[in-house]
Amino acid sequence: MSHVLLEETRPVTRPNVVVAVLALGGITVSLMQTLVIPLLPRFPALLNSAPGDTAWVITSTLLASAVATPVIGRLGDMFGKRRMLIVSLLMVVVGSVIAALSYSLVPLIIGRVVQGMAVGVIPLGISIMRDELPIERLAGATALMSASLGVGGALGLPAAAILVEQSDWHMLFWTSAGVGVLVLAAVLVYVPESPVRGGGRFDLLGAVGLSVALICLLLGVSKASEWSGGSVTGLFVAAAVVLGAWGWWELRTREPLVDLRTTVRRQVLLTNISSLVFAFAMFAQSLVLPQVLQLPVGGHGLGQSLLVTGLVLVPSGLVMMATAPFAARISNARGPRATLLLGALVVAFGYGIGIFMLTAVWQLVVISAVIGAGIGLGYGAMPALIMGAVPTSETAAANSLNSLMRAIGTSVSSAVAGVVLTQVGVPFSFQLIMGLGAATALLAVVVAAFIPSAQPVRTLS
């Protein structure tokens, strides 16, 4: 591996501002991913396309983000995290403008692909915090940055519902572009470039191999309930073969895209596995609660509007933000493993009560808030666990891989929940998904229990 390069940079004189700007960037990216959800039932008519085709508005973003996340992380370590953060935010703006100008399916999908390439904002932001902030501020800042993913998701649905009801659907993307420009300007003014550089050459073959493997895997997962068994099986086999070849290459090349020797360290490996399982549990609620709220009263639902549905989910995002300081305090006092264990237990409790409390709006608010508190704790601990076990020069790449694990977990959760909802009758399907969420959260507890409790302090290498 290449030596770490240090460059002159201006000191961080306003750490609070830097943290706020980076967190706002994370919220912007997660908002972008949820803004289209209210439009999904309307896209076939709006775009004159089949419902199966319009599903690519979501799938394309998922695939693009999976491919871009590890690549952007490695480029950030090599050429500058702030530089790649700016590139990612430009992708938000460009993708949003393309989508805003779209009146048919193909241009909209192109815009969503470009938007999906911006998901590296969150791991890049966490890495900049590690390089720039005083050590006593790091735990709270990274917890806040991690929580921004959930905050944006929770706020996106009601915001989108209001925009869709009050104006043309293209305003969703014009709004996204405008927010992206504001955040980009704030980054240019307030966020300094990290002095830590890894240098070296970019592993193009490794990037292509990992991209092909991820596309096959996630496409198979997301289309498992729609495509024939042979097609899905072929995708999974291709993913396994390419991933095996990719691993062989990464272990033999001098400057790999992902340093697998670091990745298999016990602390990093178990944290990534916990993240994958934890993300599965996190996403299950977002598929059940909106359906319970919007189904008619006679159809085992509560008969609420899309706007009310979004507002019910808002407390979850606010609680995630509120738990960030508590996550930092627990991590500082007992270590981030304890925070992750507590977060997973809280999520399991939230899903446990959700099995029996799906009959009133206030009950769903409580369920969402409890699960949100657990997610805030768990997500706040994951960056600390990763950064405590990797060299400073690999921070962005390691955080990006952890974000990728979360993305895979949410994708699998979506596919499994989709199968349950179509194959099992209501309301038992809702209770079953809640039970699966509790079970996977408890599985995350078991995995996290084996993470080493000692957190070595890493220096530049």
Side-chain angles (χ1 to χ4, degrees):
M1 298 295 293
S2 58
H3 296 290
V4 177
L5 304 177
L6 295 178
E7 296 189 352
E8 292 296 326
T9 185
R10 56 195 171 118
V12 179
T13 57
R14 298 180 179 179
N16 291 335
V17 176
V18 171
V19 172
V21 170
L22 293 174
L24 183 58
I27 292 173
T28 300
V29 170
S30 55
L31 271 171
M32 170 207 72
Q33 295 178 324
T34 57
L35 278 176
V36 298
I37 291 178
L39 281 171
L40 286 178
R42 307 185 190 185
F43 272 141
L46 292 172
L47 302 173
N48 194 27
S49 300
D53 294 335
T54 57
W56 283 98
V57 174
I58 296 292
T59 305
S60 61
T61 307
L62 168 69
L63 298 178
S65 62
V67 169
T69 298
V71 172
I72 291 294
R74 174 61 180 146
L75 291 173
D77 284 332
M78 291 175 61
F79 302 116
K81 302 176 184 73
R82 176 179 180 267
R83 182 174 298 171
M84 298 315 300
L85 180 66
I86 291 170
V87 170
S88 297
L89 290 170
L90 282 172
M91 294 298 101
V92 171
V93 176
V94 172
S96 298
V97 171
I98 293 173
L101 295 173
S102 301
Y103 287 87
S104 59
L105 182 60
V106 172
L108 180 58
I109 290 176
I110 293 173
R112 292 289 291 166
V113 166
V114 177
Q115 283 185 320
M117 296 171 67
V119 77
V121 164
I122 293 176
L124 287 170
I126 292 172
S127 302
I128 291 173
M129 289 175 177
R130 183 190 190 185
D131 296 342
E132 299 294 338
L133 296 181
I135 189 65
E136 65 272 11
R137 294 290 310 276
L138 186 58
T142 55
L144 182 65
M145 190 70 188
S146 291
S148 68
L149 180 62
V151 173
L155 298 180
L157 192 57
I162 293 173
L163 283 173
V164 169
E165 291 178 358
Q166 301 297 324
S167 63
D168 181 75
W169 65 272
H170 292 88
M171 282 302 300
L172 291 176
F173 298 106
W174 286 121
T175 301
S176 177
V179 174
V181 169
L182 292 176
V183 176
L184 178 59
V187 168
L188 290 171
V189 173
Y190 295 110
V191 178
E193 180 60 271
S194 167
V196 182
R197 300 283 183 88
R201 294 185 301 175
F202 182 70
D203 179 16
L204 180 59
L205 186 58
V208 172
L210 182 59
S211 299
V212 171
L214 289 174
I215 289 173
C216 291
L217 174 64
L218 295 178
L219 195 58
V221 167
S222 62
K223 297 298 181 180
S225 60
E226 301 176 27
W227 291 357
S228 65
S231 300
V232 173
T233 301
L235 286 170
F236 287 148
V237 170
V241 171
V242 175
L243 197 59
W246 173 80
W248 178 88
W249 168 258
E250 293 298 283
L251 288 171
R252 283 158 179 79
T253 187
R254 290 184 58 190
E255 297 177 295
L257 178 73
V258 178
D259 186 352
L260 293 182
R261 292 178 179 83
T262 298
T263 303
V264 297
R265 290 176 185 170
R266 183 178 171 188
Q267 183 167 320
V268 178
L269 178 63
L270 291 179
T271 300
N272 282 331
I273 295 174
S274 297
S275 300
L276 190 151
V277 179
F278 199 89
F280 182 102
M282 179 204 78
F283 198 66
Q285 65 152 337
S286 64
L287 298 171
V288 172
L289 301 189
Q291 293 207 43
V292 174
L293 285 161
Q294 293 182 72
L295 281 174
V297 176
H300 303 286
L302 301 177
Q304 301 297 319
S305 67
L306 179 62
L307 180 57
V308 171
T309 299
L311 293 175
V312 168
L313 298 178
V314 167
S316 175
L318 299 179
V319 169
M320 287 183 208
M321 186 72 76
T323 54
F326 295 100
R329 291 176 188 174
I330 297 170
S331 294
N332 288 331
R334 304 295 298 273
R337 184 186 71 163
T339 311
L340 178 57
L341 286 168
L342 178 60
L345 285 171
V346 173
V347 170
F349 175 73
Y351 277 109
I353 63 175
I355 297 174
F356 309 101
M357 293 175 56
L358 292 174
T359 57
V361 172
W362 70 266
Q363 294 176 353
L364 272 63
V365 172
V366 170
I367 293 167
S368 178
V370 171
I371 295 174
I375 293 169
L377 291 170
Y379 272 19
M382 290 171 190
L385 286 165
I386 293 294
M387 292 187 296
V390 302
T392 309
S393 58
E394 299 176 16
T395 300
N399 278 318
S400 295
L401 184 61
N402 184 251
S403 296
L404 179 60
M405 293 299 104
R406 302 187 210 180
I408 293 174
T410 57
S411 301
V412 175
S413 175
S414 176
V416 171
V419 171
V420 172
L421 290 171
T422 55
Q423 301 298 322
V424 181
V426 174
F428 182 68
S429 60
F430 298 149
Q431 296 168 331
L432 179 57
I433 294 173
M434 286 291 180
L436 287 173
T440 51
L442 291 175
L443 178 58
V445 172
V446 173
V447 176
F450 290 94
I451 296 174
S453 57
Q455 311 301 319
V457 178
R458 298 277 168 179
T459 57
L460 300 183
S461 59

